[in-house]
């Protein structure tokens, strides 16, 4: 059976573009993949331009964020392969197009433009490098002493901008994890509140499926107001009235 989108809401923590969320079918594909077990395969089919790459970007981001939330010692390794180079370069190029200008969206090491490495055939290597893709040459340069020094300076500066105070390189992973946990906690709370609203709706003989986000917010606010008013009226009652109630 297909998973409910709301049931996997707090699991889908990575999105490729904060300005445009995934469409329903894209979210369903992501939810299905998150429910697959080890060794299972999920096929996602669609013509060009339907957002298959966007789903992949979301899933890759989700895998990395979940690894941080779990406290994994090493990041996940994700391998992308295709019968043609274009499908692979689409993923790398689209990661490079993601807005990266502030906070946790910002690239804390500025010359890291994409999110993965690219290993083309020897005769296409120069073409890949000129396109700004991270080939083996990029990693050779990144391991040099001069690059490491600059990377540490830029990373420390980004830490200062984000946290508002200077922190050491050793402290940074824990602080970033805490920041992600705080944001993830908001998703979990929203998921719980929506489940509560849905349960109330079912008891009332209705359903929240199909309601707009604004309608859901309004309905939940109305219910919260009713509960608050009831509590205020109850507190104004005398002891005997409360006991009889």
């Amino acid at each position: 059976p297909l998973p409910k989108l709301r049931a996997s809401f707090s699991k889908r923590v990575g999105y490729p573009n904060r300005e445009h969320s995934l469409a329903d079918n894209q979210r369903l594909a992501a939810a299905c993949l998150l429910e697959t077990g080890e060794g299972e395969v999920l096929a996602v089919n669609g013509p060009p331009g339907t957002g298959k790459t966007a789903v992949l970007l979301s899933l890759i981001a989700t895998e990395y964020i979940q690894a941080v939330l779990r406290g994994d010692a090493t990041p996940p390794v994700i391998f992308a392969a295709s019968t043609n180079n274009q499908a692979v370069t689409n993923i790398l190029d689209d990661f490079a197009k993601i807005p990266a200008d502030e906070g946790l969206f910002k690239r804390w090491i500025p010359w890291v433009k994409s999110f993965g490495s690219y290993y083309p055939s020897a005769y296409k290597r120069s073409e890949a490098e000129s396109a700004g893709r991270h080939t083996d040459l990029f990693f050779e340069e990144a391991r040099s002493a001069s690059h490491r020094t600059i990377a540490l300076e830029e990373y420390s500066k980004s830490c200062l901008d984000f946290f508002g105070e200077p922190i050491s390189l050793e402290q940074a992973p824990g602080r970033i994890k805490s920041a992600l946990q705080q944001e993830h906690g908001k998703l979990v709370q929203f998921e719980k509140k929506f489940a509560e609203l849905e349960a109330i709706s079912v008891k009332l003989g209705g359903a929240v499926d199909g309601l707009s986000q604004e309608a859901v917010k309004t309905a939940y606010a109305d219910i919260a107001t009713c509960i608050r008013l009831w509590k205020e009226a109850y507190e104004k009652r005398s002891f005997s009235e409360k006991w009889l109630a």
Side-chain angles (χ1 to χ4, degrees):
L2 293 176
K4 287 188 176 182
L5 290 179
R6 292 187 296 278
S8 62
F9 180 77
S10 64
K11 295 180 182 178
R12 292 181 282 111
V13 293
Y15 291 91
N17 192 323
R18 65 179 182 270
E19 297 175 357
H20 305 286
S21 60
L22 298 180
D24 285 347
N25 285 339
Q26 292 172 311
R27 291 198 295 269
L28 181 59
C32 288
L33 185 60
L34 292 173
E35 294 296 323
T36 57
E38 186 173 352
E40 295 181 331
V41 176
L42 175 70
V44 178
N45 185 42
T50 53
K52 298 183 297 297
T53 302
V55 173
L56 282 175
L57 300 184
S58 176
L59 290 168
I60 292 170
T62 291
E63 285 294 322
Y64 272 79
I65 294 172
Q66 285 184 343
V68 175
L69 294 174
R70 289 192 303 264
D72 293 356
T74 56
V77 175
I78 300 171
F79 186 77
S82 174
T83 55
N84 63 83
N85 285 341
Q86 186 67 43
V88 177
T89 56
N90 281 348
I91 301 173
L92 297 174
D93 293 347
D94 282 2
F95 260 122
K97 296 175 185 175
I98 295 174
D101 51 7
E102 62 179 355
L104 293 174
F105 284 96
K106 183 179 178 181
R107 301 191 190 283
W108 288 19
I109 301 178
W111 65 78
V112 179
K113 301 300 182 183
S114 188
F115 197 68
S117 52
Y118 181 59
Y119 298 100
S121 56
Y123 74 94
K124 287 199 171 185
R125 178 176 171 178
S126 59
E127 177 186 338
E129 291 169 357
S130 62
R133 300 188 182 110
H134 297 165
T135 66
D136 50 345
L137 179 60
F138 168 84
F139 293 100
E140 289 174 11
E141 294 176 347
R143 283 191 288 266
S144 68
S146 59
H147 270 67
R148 289 200 304 270
T149 299
I150 298 172
L152 180 58
E153 292 174 355
E154 293 291 339
Y155 194 83
S156 299
K157 188 188 302 180
S158 296
C159 285
L160 177 61
D161 292 341
F162 183 72
F163 295 111
E165 60 178 335
I167 62 173
S168 67
L169 187 63
E170 291 74 21
Q171 293 173 312
R175 294 289 295 272
I176 294 172
K177 179 181 178 181
S178 295
L180 287 173
Q181 286 175 328
Q182 184 176 0
E183 294 301 314
H184 182 244
K186 296 177 184 177
L187 296 180
V188 173
Q189 287 301 313
F190 184 86
E191 189 175 64
K192 289 180 179 178
K193 295 299 182 183
F194 198 95
E196 291 173 6
L197 174 61
E198 188 175 39
I200 293 172
S201 179
V202 170
K203 289 181 180 179
L204 294 175
V208 295
D209 289 334
L211 290 179
S212 67
Q213 185 177 0
E214 196 60 37
V216 170
K217 289 181 178 179
T218 301
Y220 188 81
D222 290 343
I223 293 172
T225 300
C226 290
I227 294 174
R228 178 178 58 80
L229 293 175
W230 178 85
K231 287 182 177 180
E232 290 176 357
Y234 181 79
E235 290 301 322
K236 292 178 181 179
R237 290 185 176 187
S238 65
F239 174 78
S240 58
E241 288 178 314
K242 292 179 180 179
W243 185 79
L244 290 173

